[in-house]
Amino acid sequence: MELLKIISFSDGLTIPSGEDFVNKVFPNIWAFLIQLIAFLIMSFVVIKFAYKPVSAFLAKRREFIASNLKEAEEKNLQANENILKAEQSLQESKKEAVKIIQEAQKEASKEKDAILEEAKKELAIKRMRAQEDIKREQEKAIKEVHDEVVDLAYETTKTILNREVSSKDDKKMIDDFVNDLIEKR
């Protein structure tokens, strides 16, 4: 007890005596019951008017959040599917573009070949015409030379013989001579 007195005096506390000690450690039973009944009534009121609506609100909120999460997940899956479809479409478009380019190159190659073939044909036709023109000009030149030679030979024969030879005989003889020269060449 001495120790309690020293502690109480040093802290400025006093130790209650007998009945006062019992009243402070064990409260009044009637006051305790009234407080317990008041607590139960307050708990009932809080549960009835506050807990149930709050709990219902929280349940609705949980459902709303769950449905939003589910919807977001579905949208995410749909977006992933759309991305895959878009990638496949892009790949198909690339393949189609390569195919179109290859077809265009083939068409261009065919067109080029056709143009070259047409140009070769035109060149061959022009070459053939040029050869025909050359041949005609050659024949024309030969005929002109032939005629000049015949005329010259006729005039020479006429001068040498100093007489008129029938032009028909003379021309035939000169034609034969010139034709023999041409054939020998």
Side-chain angles (χ1 to χ4, degrees):
M1 245 326 158
E2 280 294 313
L3 183 64
L4 285 176
K5 284 185 182 180
I6 293 173
I7 294 174
S8 69
F9 288 127
S10 64
D11 289 344
L13 295 175
T14 58
I15 296 178
S17 61
E19 193 176 302
D20 196 26
F21 179 74
V22 171
N23 284 336
K24 287 189 178 185
V25 173
F26 299 105
N28 185 350
I29 196 93
W30 290 108
F32 175 74
L33 286 176
I34 291 174
Q35 286 179 354
L36 180 63
I37 292 171
F39 175 75
L40 291 175
I41 291 172
M42 280 301 284
S43 295
F44 175 75
V45 169
V46 167
I47 289 172
K48 179 77 174 169
F49 296 109
Y51 178 75
K52 286 184 180 180
V54 168
S55 137
F57 172 76
L58 291 176
K60 286 181 184 178
R61 184 72 179 160
R62 262 188 237 108
E63 289 175 13
F64 176 75
I65 290 171
S67 69
N68 280 349
L69 287 175
K70 185 177 179 183
E71 185 177 323
E73 199 173 290
E74 289 173 359
K75 286 184 179 180
N76 192 17
L77 289 174
Q78 184 67 31
N80 288 338
E81 288 176 14
N82 289 341
I83 288 171
L84 289 175
K85 286 179 183 178
E87 287 175 355
Q88 288 175 348
S89 177
L90 180 64
Q91 291 297 328
E92 289 174 8
S93 296
K94 285 181 180 179
K95 287 178 184 177
E96 188 68 26
V98 167
K99 186 178 176 183
I100 290 171
I101 290 171
Q102 288 174 345
E103 288 177 9
Q105 287 174 339
K106 287 178 185 178
E107 284 295 319
S109 178
K110 287 178 183 178
E111 183 102 5
K112 180 186 90 172
D113 292 343
I115 291 171
L116 286 175
E117 189 65 33
E118 186 68 28
K120 285 178 184 178
K121 286 179 183 178
E122 287 181 23
L123 183 63
I125 290 171
K126 287 182 180 181
R127 186 177 289 149
M128 192 171 71
R129 285 181 185 162
Q131 287 175 349
E132 289 173 358
D133 288 344
I134 290 170
K135 191 173 182 181
R136 271 195 305 268
E137 289 297 321
Q138 207 174 26
E139 288 173 0
K140 184 179 173 184
I142 289 172
K143 187 174 187 292
E144 287 176 3
V145 169
H146 178 271
D147 289 343
E148 283 183 31
V149 169
V150 168
D151 286 341
L152 186 61
Y154 179 70
E155 288 298 321
T156 308
T157 308
K158 198 167 143 185
T159 308
I160 293 176
L161 296 175
N162 279 333
R163 65 179 182 91
E164 192 76 31
V165 181
S166 79
S167 65
K168 195 174 193 184
D169 291 335
D170 196 24
K171 283 199 179 200
K172 184 175 184 316
M173 197 168 51
I174 292 171
D175 277 340
D176 290 340
F177 175 72
V178 171
N179 285 338
D180 284 341
L181 283 177
I182 291 173
E183 285 177 10
K184 288 180 184 177
R185 184 173 49 108

